[in-house]
Amino acid sequence: MSDADREGVIAQLNTAVAEGRLTLAEFEERVDGVLRARTYGDVEPFLADLPAAAAPVTPSEVVELRSHAGQIRRTGRWSMPRRLVVHSMAGAVHLDLRQAVISHRVSHIELATQAGATTIVLPPGATADIDGVSTTGGTARSKVPSTPEPGSTAPHIVVTGSAAAGTLLVRYERRFWFWRW
């Protein structure tokens, strides 16, 4: 079990306390057990008597997107995996994470792009580290913080790979009057 998985279980227990399904003493006891848990089976007893949470969109661990002289575009509500691999040659890549379901605290985007533009739009408060991106005849820019604030629960995106003869831009939403993009 990862730390992000434990945080998700603790969030479910937190909701149960807020709804009056658990006392504070039960909550503390269960949180201690969750923090000691090593496997998903160890956590099941702590959630067994609680109603099932709404089924979240569960992303795959690794998703691979490919394009040759085309466009890769993800917008609206979509499931961000733990690791997203993007291969694009002579095309545009636009990943809008503002409404994406990001189930992991840290997600990785691995780029292998040539002769194209890549734009990643983050939700408010999210951070992105692009130090692992190499460029050849191109640029890589980030207009967002590269490290999360201490104690932050906002998503953190780690971008690695290469952008050859193209651009990479990581930014927040742009606004002008009534328009947002």
Side-chain angles (χ1 to χ4, degrees):
M1 244 188 124
S2 71
D3 289 339
D5 297 332
R6 284 186 195 87
E7 287 176 13
V9 172
I10 291 171
Q12 287 178 342
L13 293 173
N14 224 353
T15 302
V17 169
E19 293 174 347
R21 298 180 190 279
L22 294 176
T23 65
L24 285 176
E26 291 172 320
F27 172 74
E28 290 173 0
E29 178 182 318
R30 291 181 188 207
V31 167
D32 288 340
V34 169
L35 292 174
R36 286 192 308 270
R38 296 261 181 212
T39 65
Y40 294 104
D42 295 341
V43 173
E44 287 178 10
F46 301 115
L47 300 174
D49 61 338
L50 298 175
V57 179
T58 56
S60 302
E61 287 295 310
V62 178
V63 172
E64 193 167 331
L65 304 174
R66 294 183 170 274
S67 172
H68 185 77
Q71 183 178 32
I72 295 174
R73 188 171 186 83
R74 295 290 180 270
T75 61
R77 187 170 168 85
W78 62 284
S79 180
M80 175 69 181
R82 184 180 301 271
R83 185 168 159 245
L84 181 64
V85 180
V86 179
H87 296 277
S88 178
M89 183 177 289
V93 176
H94 184 82
L95 302 174
D96 187 344
L97 303 177
R98 291 176 296 168
Q99 296 175 10
V101 176
I102 305 174
S103 302
H104 308 288
R105 171 75 178 86
V106 177
S107 296
H108 297 266
I109 298 176
E110 183 181 323
L111 296 177
T113 61
Q114 292 180 333
T118 301
T119 303
I120 302 170
V121 182
L122 299 182
T127 55
D129 178 6
I130 66 166
D131 291 342
V133 176
S134 65
T135 60
T136 305
T139 61
R141 291 186 313 152
S142 177
K143 295 184 175 185
V144 301
S146 62
T147 56
E149 292 290 327
S152 172
T153 58
H156 180 67
I157 308 297
V158 177
V159 185
T160 58
S162 64
T167 61
L168 166 64
L169 174 63
V170 180
R171 64 176 175 84
Y172 292 128
E173 171 182 70
R174 291 183 181 152
R175 296 178 183 189
F176 177 73
W177 206 8
F178 296 108
W179 298 282
R180 295 178 181 188
W181 69 98

